[in-house]
Amino acid sequence: MEQNVGFIDRYIRITLGGLMIAAGAARLARDGGLAGAAVGLLGGMMLAEGVLGTCPLYSVAGINTNPDPIPGTYTNDVIQPYEGI
């Protein structure tokens, strides 16, 4: 799958996903209801999207927050061919 989630978006999803998993587990332990499981499941989905860098809803909607690679970040873009031989 193509990565369509950008750098900042990924870290936000990882952070919020982890917090939602913790909140869902706490609620599930306290009440034992379905709401805690639902929050934990949504948090797990957000965490997975952040780690994998792809969002199925972004794919369906045609959204891509992953910028193109910055020129000069790869060695082949930096090194100029040597023509002095």
Side-chain angles (χ1 to χ4, degrees):
M1 230 185 242
E2 182 180 334
Q3 289 189 346
N4 58 3
V5 178
F7 181 75
I8 295 172
D9 196 3
R10 288 178 78 169
Y11 281 104
I12 291 171
R13 288 172 189 259
I14 289 170
T15 302
L16 291 179
L19 290 173
M20 288 176 71
I21 289 172
R27 174 129 188 190
L28 192 61
R30 187 180 64 221
D31 298 336
L34 202 56
V39 170
L41 181 65
L42 289 174
M45 290 170 53
M46 285 185 75
L47 183 65
E49 290 170 356
V51 170
L52 297 174
T54 184
C55 176
L57 292 177
Y58 275 13
S59 296
V60 170
I63 299 171
N64 187 359
T65 61
N66 190 16
D68 292 333
I70 301 168
T73 57
Y74 298 104
T75 305
N76 292 339
D77 294 337
V78 176
I79 297 173
Q80 301 298 322
Y82 182 70
E83 297 178 11
I85 298 177

mmCIF file of all heavy atoms in Angstrom, residues 53-76:
data_model
loop_
_atom_site.group_PDB
_atom_site.id
_atom_site.type_symbol
_atom_site.label_atom_id
_atom_site.label_comp_id
_atom_site.label_asym_id
_atom_site.label_seq_id
_atom_site.Cartn_x
_atom_site.Cartn_y
_atom_site.Cartn_z
ATOM 1 N N GLY A 53 1.835 4.282 8.136
ATOM 2 C CA GLY A 53 1.907 5.441 7.253
ATOM 3 C C GLY A 53 0.863 5.453 6.158
ATOM 4 O O GLY A 53 1.002 6.170 5.168
ATOM 5 N N THR A 54 -0.181 4.687 6.307
ATOM 6 C CA THR A 54 -1.240 4.657 5.307
ATOM 7 C C THR A 54 -2.607 4.677 5.987
ATOM 8 O O THR A 54 -2.781 4.114 7.061
ATOM 9 C CB THR A 54 -1.109 3.420 4.402
ATOM 10 O OG1 THR A 54 -2.099 3.465 3.393
ATOM 11 C CG2 THR A 54 -1.240 2.132 5.164
ATOM 12 N N CYS A 55 -3.545 5.383 5.364
ATOM 13 C CA CYS A 55 -4.897 5.501 5.897
ATOM 14 C C CYS A 55 -5.882 5.088 4.808
ATOM 15 O O CYS A 55 -5.903 5.689 3.731
ATOM 16 C CB CYS A 55 -5.157 6.936 6.344
ATOM 17 S SG CYS A 55 -6.846 7.223 6.911
ATOM 18 N N PRO A 56 -6.707 4.065 5.052
ATOM 19 C CA PRO A 56 -7.663 3.629 4.030
ATOM 20 C C PRO A 56 -8.671 4.719 3.644
ATOM 21 O O PRO A 56 -9.039 4.824 2.478
ATOM 22 C CB PRO A 56 -8.373 2.446 4.688
ATOM 23 C CG PRO A 56 -7.482 1.995 5.779
ATOM 24 C CD PRO A 56 -6.717 3.186 6.217
ATOM 25 N N LEU A 57 -9.088 5.540 4.608
ATOM 26 C CA LEU A 57 -10.033 6.609 4.287
ATOM 27 C C LEU A 57 -9.387 7.672 3.406
ATOM 28 O O LEU A 57 -10.037 8.244 2.532
ATOM 29 C CB LEU A 57 -10.595 7.238 5.552
ATOM 30 C CG LEU A 57 -11.509 6.342 6.385
ATOM 31 C CD1 LEU A 57 -11.943 7.053 7.650
ATOM 32 C CD2 LEU A 57 -12.706 5.909 5.582
ATOM 33 N N TYR A 58 -8.100 7.958 3.636
ATOM 34 C CA TYR A 58 -7.383 8.889 2.771
ATOM 35 C C TYR A 58 -7.314 8.333 1.346
ATOM 36 O O TYR A 58 -7.429 9.074 0.381
ATOM 37 C CB TYR A 58 -5.968 9.128 3.288
ATOM 38 C CG TYR A 58 -5.832 10.198 4.343
ATOM 39 C CD1 TYR A 58 -6.930 10.739 4.999
ATOM 40 C CD2 TYR A 58 -4.582 10.669 4.705
ATOM 41 C CE1 TYR A 58 -6.781 11.714 5.960
ATOM 42 C CE2 TYR A 58 -4.429 11.648 5.671
ATOM 43 C CZ TYR A 58 -5.529 12.164 6.290
ATOM 44 O OH TYR A 58 -5.389 13.136 7.236
ATOM 45 N N SER A 59 -7.108 7.030 1.218
ATOM 46 C CA SER A 59 -7.033 6.420 -0.106
ATOM 47 C C SER A 59 -8.357 6.556 -0.851
ATOM 48 O O SER A 59 -8.375 6.884 -2.031
ATOM 49 C CB SER A 59 -6.659 4.941 0.011
ATOM 50 O OG SER A 59 -5.377 4.797 0.558
ATOM 51 N N VAL A 60 -9.450 6.311 -0.151
ATOM 52 C CA VAL A 60 -10.778 6.414 -0.769
ATOM 53 C C VAL A 60 -11.082 7.852 -1.172
ATOM 54 O O VAL A 60 -11.610 8.113 -2.259
ATOM 55 C CB VAL A 60 -11.859 5.873 0.189
ATOM 56 C CG1 VAL A 60 -13.249 6.180 -0.321
ATOM 57 C CG2 VAL A 60 -11.687 4.379 0.397
ATOM 58 N N ALA A 61 -10.716 8.801 -0.310
ATOM 59 C CA ALA A 61 -11.008 10.212 -0.570
ATOM 60 C C ALA A 61 -9.982 10.869 -1.504
ATOM 61 O O ALA A 61 -10.185 12.002 -1.939
ATOM 62 C CB ALA A 61 -11.059 10.981 0.744
ATOM 63 N N GLY A 62 -8.877 10.173 -1.791
ATOM 64 C CA GLY A 62 -7.857 10.745 -2.660
ATOM 65 C C GLY A 62 -6.987 11.785 -1.982
ATOM 66 O O GLY A 62 -6.410 12.645 -2.636
ATOM 67 N N ILE A 63 -6.871 11.698 -0.658
ATOM 68 C CA ILE A 63 -6.066 12.651 0.108
ATOM 69 C C ILE A 63 -4.676 12.063 0.311
ATOM 70 O O ILE A 63 -4.522 10.869 0.582
ATOM 71 C CB ILE A 63 -6.716 12.941 1.477
ATOM 72 C CG1 ILE A 63 -8.103 13.548 1.279
ATOM 73 C CG2 ILE A 63 -5.841 13.851 2.318
ATOM 74 C CD1 ILE A 63 -8.900 13.664 2.552
ATOM 75 N N ASN A 64 -3.650 12.899 0.189
ATOM 76 C CA ASN A 64 -2.284 12.471 0.425
ATOM 77 C C ASN A 64 -1.546 13.592 1.155
ATOM 78 O O ASN A 64 -1.279 14.634 0.577
ATOM 79 C CB ASN A 64 -1.583 12.129 -0.887
ATOM 80 C CG ASN A 64 -0.221 11.524 -0.683
ATOM 81 O OD1 ASN A 64 0.243 11.365 0.433
ATOM 82 N ND2 ASN A 64 0.424 11.170 -1.782
ATOM 83 N N THR A 65 -1.224 13.374 2.434
ATOM 84 C CA THR A 65 -0.495 14.381 3.200
ATOM 85 C C THR A 65 0.992 14.078 3.236
ATOM 86 O O THR A 65 1.756 14.800 3.875
ATOM 87 C CB THR A 65 -1.022 14.472 4.649
ATOM 88 O OG1 THR A 65 -0.846 13.210 5.292
ATOM 89 C CG2 THR A 65 -2.474 14.876 4.673
ATOM 90 N N ASN A 66 1.417 13.020 2.555
ATOM 91 C CA ASN A 66 2.829 12.654 2.508
ATOM 92 C C ASN A 66 3.501 13.457 1.403
ATOM 93 O O ASN A 66 3.219 13.251 0.228
ATOM 94 C CB ASN A 66 2.969 11.154 2.240
ATOM 95 C CG ASN A 66 4.378 10.658 2.401
ATOM 96 O OD1 ASN A 66 5.206 11.340 2.982
ATOM 97 N ND2 ASN A 66 4.630 9.464 1.905
ATOM 98 N N PRO A 67 4.389 14.379 1.769
ATOM 99 C CA PRO A 67 5.016 15.215 0.738
ATOM 100 C C PRO A 67 6.012 14.411 -0.085
ATOM 101 O O PRO A 67 6.491 13.367 0.332
ATOM 102 C CB PRO A 67 5.728 16.293 1.544
ATOM 103 C CG PRO A 67 6.027 15.646 2.841
ATOM 104 C CD PRO A 67 4.879 14.703 3.096
ATOM 105 N N ASP A 68 6.318 14.922 -1.269
ATOM 106 C CA ASP A 68 7.348 14.308 -2.099
ATOM 107 C C ASP A 68 8.678 14.422 -1.382
ATOM 108 O O ASP A 68 8.893 15.345 -0.594
ATOM 109 C CB ASP A 68 7.434 15.019 -3.455
ATOM 110 C CG ASP A 68 6.189 14.780 -4.286
ATOM 111 O OD1 ASP A 68 5.551 13.735 -4.091
ATOM 112 O OD2 ASP A 68 5.867 15.641 -5.115
ATOM 113 N N PRO A 69 9.590 13.506 -1.649
ATOM 114 C CA PRO A 69 10.898 13.611 -0.995
ATOM 115 C C PRO A 69 11.558 14.953 -1.289
ATOM 116 O O PRO A 69 11.447 15.489 -2.386
ATOM 117 C CB PRO A 69 11.699 12.466 -1.612
ATOM 118 C CG PRO A 69 10.682 11.526 -2.164
ATOM 119 C CD PRO A 69 9.485 12.350 -2.498
ATOM 120 N N ILE A 70 12.222 15.488 -0.318
ATOM 121 C CA ILE A 70 12.902 16.779 -0.457
ATOM 122 C C ILE A 70 14.138 16.579 -1.328
ATOM 123 O O ILE A 70 14.934 15.672 -1.070
ATOM 124 C CB ILE A 70 13.288 17.326 0.925
ATOM 125 C CG1 ILE A 70 12.043 17.499 1.783
ATOM 126 C CG2 ILE A 70 14.064 18.630 0.807
ATOM 127 C CD1 ILE A 70 12.332 17.766 3.240
ATOM 128 N N PRO A 71 14.319 17.387 -2.367
ATOM 129 C CA PRO A 71 15.502 17.224 -3.214
ATOM 130 C C PRO A 71 16.782 17.361 -2.391
ATOM 131 O O PRO A 71 16.895 18.230 -1.539
ATOM 132 C CB PRO A 71 15.385 18.366 -4.214
ATOM 133 C CG PRO A 71 13.955 18.753 -4.195
ATOM 134 C CD PRO A 71 13.453 18.442 -2.813
ATOM 135 N N GLY A 72 17.728 16.482 -2.659
ATOM 136 C CA GLY A 72 18.991 16.520 -1.951
ATOM 137 C C GLY A 72 19.029 15.653 -0.717
ATOM 138 O O GLY A 72 20.037 15.616 -0.024
ATOM 139 N N THR A 73 17.947 14.945 -0.415
ATOM 140 C CA THR A 73 17.956 14.099 0.769
ATOM 141 C C THR A 73 18.531 12.721 0.475
ATOM 142 O O THR A 73 18.856 12.001 1.393
ATOM 143 C CB THR A 73 16.535 13.945 1.346
ATOM 144 O OG1 THR A 73 15.681 13.414 0.340
ATOM 145 C CG2 THR A 73 16.011 15.262 1.845
ATOM 146 N N TYR A 74 18.622 12.369 -0.763
ATOM 147 C CA TYR A 74 19.186 11.083 -1.139
ATOM 148 C C TYR A 74 20.559 11.298 -1.762
ATOM 149 O O TYR A 74 20.802 12.282 -2.434
ATOM 150 C CB TYR A 74 18.269 10.346 -2.121
ATOM 151 C CG TYR A 74 16.929 10.042 -1.521
ATOM 152 C CD1 TYR A 74 15.810 10.777 -1.857
ATOM 153 C CD2 TYR A 74 16.792 9.033 -0.574
ATOM 154 C CE1 TYR A 74 14.579 10.509 -1.289
ATOM 155 C CE2 TYR A 74 15.575 8.757 -0.004
ATOM 156 C CZ TYR A 74 14.470 9.496 -0.366
ATOM 157 O OH TYR A 74 13.264 9.229 0.202
ATOM 158 N N THR A 75 21.451 10.354 -1.577
ATOM 159 C CA THR A 75 22.828 10.485 -2.038
ATOM 160 C C THR A 75 22.898 10.699 -3.544
ATOM 161 O O THR A 75 23.682 11.505 -4.027
ATOM 162 C CB THR A 75 23.632 9.222 -1.656
ATOM 163 O OG1 THR A 75 23.505 9.018 -0.256
ATOM 164 C CG2 THR A 75 25.089 9.374 -2.021
ATOM 165 N N ASN A 76 22.082 10.020 -4.308
ATOM 166 C CA ASN A 76 22.137 10.146 -5.767
ATOM 167 C C ASN A 76 21.739 11.541 -6.235
ATOM 168 O O ASN A 76 22.127 11.965 -7.318
ATOM 169 C CB ASN A 76 21.243 9.108 -6.429
ATOM 170 C CG ASN A 76 21.764 7.705 -6.240
ATOM 171 O OD1 ASN A 76 22.943 7.519 -5.965
ATOM 172 N ND2 ASN A 76 20.895 6.720 -6.378
#
